[in-house]
Amino acid sequence: MNKNNFNISRASPKLLKLFCIVLIMVLILMHQSVSASSSKNLPLSVNQAAMKLVQFCVEPKTGLDDQAVATLVDYVLGPKQHKELALPKTLESTGAYYEFDMRSTLHQFMEYFYTARIPSSITRPSSLRSSLWTAPSGDTQKLPNSWKTSFPAENPIIIHGIERAANTPDLNTGVYHEYDMKRTLILLNYRGHQTVLSISKQISTSNVGKKGFILGNDSDWNYYYTEEPGSTITGLGWAKSYIYDYFSVTVFVEPSSGSIGVKTGIFQWLRAGWSGINFVKPGHILRGIKRFARDCKAIMESSRLPSSNQIVSVYQMLSNMTASELLKEYSGLKQAQRSLAIQTGKISKTEKEEKISFANTPKEQMIEELMLENLKISLGKPTVLGKQSSLLSTKSQLYISHQ
């Protein structure tokens, strides 16, 4: 046999590991069902405009670029052949654009999605596990309790903040991460169109990715989180993954004044993987954005959606619980999720016997996860909560009534 021929049986362990990584990534990419149109369809000025707004989010002192805002809003409102496409690679990050419509007014949408009284994870249940918007110092500000009396007529309203977020298990890898982002929210009237721009820029590399599982249908919003680093993909359980960078500009705009409808365009970039290598493809990003779009429509277009005040009442009810009462409710939820993880074959039965304490779980995270179960009940979705839960009691039904 020619000594120059490659013999895999004699390869070093490191070379075999590299070969396996390449083979697995090729298989993942081959099975991506989502395809994106070429970014050649996107005017270069649109990409530049998005990056100017990202820079404004990072450094507010640069000032808001009105032309950048106009370029993006015009693009979202304008006719186009493709409503999903790849964006030019920027800052070594992969990009994608997606557009969708939902039946809601922008005022109503803002009351649910961007106020201090309703956690972001409640309205983005398949995207965020938890989220906390903070305003520590300087140019950062808190979100308002309501937009009903402060939506802009002429001059833009600009809010800067920092968000600590934990996402849900990724559709491709089963990994979830925690990370911090700079955030900017801009409300303005653009040529008669009420418009909101939501801008995000990750501050630093995320924590190491941990294994998580989607329990059943992703649209049921049931997830199980482990503390074990790695991926749930066979052969990649050892991979220590990170989100190295993430930035996005989302445009929410009413196509016509006072209309019932919001058009949404999302420009998003992501760099994630392991060993410093970016494995993200546009199709991965599009799948994630479509999760968010599905949730927006499922929540805002539901005839069973409670008023924002009713959802806030649930927050107040949970916040007023004693520490022991809240921990009991939360522990019951986590135990039910673990049982479902066993039933669906995600974890072994031996893991059910492990004693896990949730006493160190942040109070806000407990409240957010319990609030989500309450919203699921209101929307008619199945919940893992047992009948003994106070969220299913007669008293609690007052909070989730949609009549």
Side-chain angles (χ1 to χ4, degrees):
M1 184 176 181
N2 191 314
K3 65 179 181 180
N4 293 324
N5 289 344
F6 175 70
N7 188 332
I8 193 169
S9 64
R10 297 179 182 177
S12 67
K14 288 185 178 180
L15 190 58
L16 281 173
K17 189 173 183 180
L18 178 60
F19 176 80
C20 290
I21 293 174
V22 173
L23 178 60
I24 291 169
M25 292 313 303
V26 168
L27 291 174
I28 292 174
L29 297 178
M30 287 177 63
H31 284 83
Q32 284 300 310
S33 59
V34 181
S35 62
S37 300
S38 169
S39 58
K40 292 180 181 179
N41 295 319
L42 188 72
L44 183 60
S45 61
V46 172
N47 192 70
Q48 292 172 331
M51 292 313 300
K52 284 187 177 181
L53 293 181
V54 170
Q55 181 58 33
F56 174 61
C57 176
V58 173
E59 184 47 75
K61 292 180 181 179
T62 60
L64 178 62
D65 190 313
D66 293 337
Q67 185 56 51
V69 171
T71 298
L72 292 190
V73 178
D74 284 339
Y75 180 79
V76 174
L77 287 173
K80 54 187 72 69
Q81 186 176 0
H82 300 287
K83 295 193 176 182
E84 59 179 73
L85 64 154
L87 294 173
K89 201 166 188 177
T90 305
L91 300 180
E92 301 181 352
S93 300
T94 306
Y97 172 82
Y98 185 73
E99 183 179 302
F100 67 96
D101 299 287
M102 61 180 157
R103 295 191 305 275
S104 174
T105 66
L106 196 54
H107 285 84
Q108 183 186 31
F109 172 79
M110 293 297 292
E111 284 296 298
Y112 286 91
F113 276 70
Y114 290 104
T115 70
R117 306 189 306 166
I118 300 179
S120 296
S121 59
I122 306 306
T123 49
R124 303 160 180 80
S126 62
S127 301
L128 290 176
R129 180 189 187 187
S130 62
S131 170
L132 180 63
W133 182 297
T134 60
S137 61
D139 296 323
T140 58
Q141 302 129 325
K142 291 183 179 180
L143 290 172
N145 288 330
S146 174
W147 292 103
K148 291 179 179 177
T149 58
S150 57
F151 208 86
E154 296 181 2
N155 296 326
I157 293 176
I158 301 174
I159 298 177
H160 297 286
I162 293 176
E163 182 180 13
R164 176 68 177 178
N167 58 15
T168 56
D170 180 73
L171 289 170
N172 305 292
T173 64
V175 180
Y176 73 96
H177 300 85
E178 294 183 14
Y179 45 92
D180 296 303
M181 298 182 291
K182 286 197 172 184
R183 300 283 279 106
T184 297
L185 200 62
I186 305 170
L187 289 80
L188 52 86
N189 186 308
Y190 176 70
R191 298 179 180 175
H193 300 278
Q194 294 283 24
T195 305
V196 174
L197 292 94
S198 175
I199 311 167
S200 305
K201 176 64 172 74
Q202 189 168 315
I203 296 174
S204 58
T205 301
S206 72
N207 70 337
V208 64
K210 298 177 182 179
K211 296 179 181 180
F213 298 95
I214 300 171
L215 305 179
N217 194 316
D218 185 51
S219 62
D220 286 337
W221 308 332
N222 287 318
Y223 307 100
Y224 182 75
Y225 300 89
T226 77
E227 291 300 315
E228 181 182 358
S231 169
T232 58
I233 296 178
T234 302
L236 284 180
W238 53 267
K240 302 298 188 292
S241 69
Y242 299 87
I243 299 177
Y244 299 113
D245 203 0
Y246 167 87
F247 44 99
S248 69
V249 179
T250 301
V251 178
F252 304 101
V253 58
E254 290 185 348
S256 58
S257 179
S259 64
I260 304 298
V262 176
K263 181 175 287 294
T264 303
I266 302 176
F267 306 82
Q268 188 177 115
W269 288 263
L270 177 65
R271 181 164 61 92
W274 56 89
S275 300
I277 303 172
N278 178 27
F279 288 113
V280 178
K281 300 299 178 184
H284 299 144
I285 297 175
L286 287 170
R287 291 187 75 193
I289 297 177
K290 288 178 180 180
R291 279 175 113 183
F292 169 73
R294 181 196 66 207
D295 288 353
C296 283
K297 295 173 70 67
I299 294 172
M300 296 308 300
E301 297 180 358
S302 174
S303 60
R304 300 173 61 97
L305 178 64
S307 70
S308 58
N309 285 334
Q310 287 171 318
I311 295 178
V312 172
S313 296
V314 178
Y315 179 86
Q316 294 170 340
M317 179 188 71
L318 292 169
S319 297
N320 291 333
M321 284 184 174
T322 65
S324 60
E325 289 174 336
L326 184 62
L327 181 59
K328 180 180 178 181
E329 287 287 342
Y330 186 73
S331 297
L333 170 62
K334 304 313 287 183
Q335 290 168 4
Q337 290 172 336
R338 187 154 29 144
S339 295
L340 182 57
I342 293 171
Q343 293 172 17
T344 54
K346 302 299 184 182
I347 62 174
S348 65
K349 291 184 179 180
T350 57
E351 293 182 64
K352 183 179 181 181
E353 306 305 322
E354 296 177 4
K355 299 296 182 181
I356 301 177
S357 172
F358 303 101
N360 293 326
T361 304
K363 179 179 179 179
E364 284 298 319
Q365 181 177 325
M366 293 187 192
I367 291 174
E368 287 184 43
E369 293 190 40
L370 288 168
M371 283 182 70
L372 176 58
E373 291 304 310
N374 191 278
L375 179 62
K376 287 162 61 176
I377 297 168
S378 184
L379 296 179
K381 289 181 174 290
T383 176
V384 297
L385 288 175
K387 293 182 179 179
Q388 71 279 6
S389 171
S390 66
L391 292 179
L392 295 179
S393 68
T394 303
K395 178 181 177 181
S396 182
Q397 297 303 309
L398 296 174
Y399 294 98
I400 63 174
S401 171
H402 57 274
Q403 297 180 352

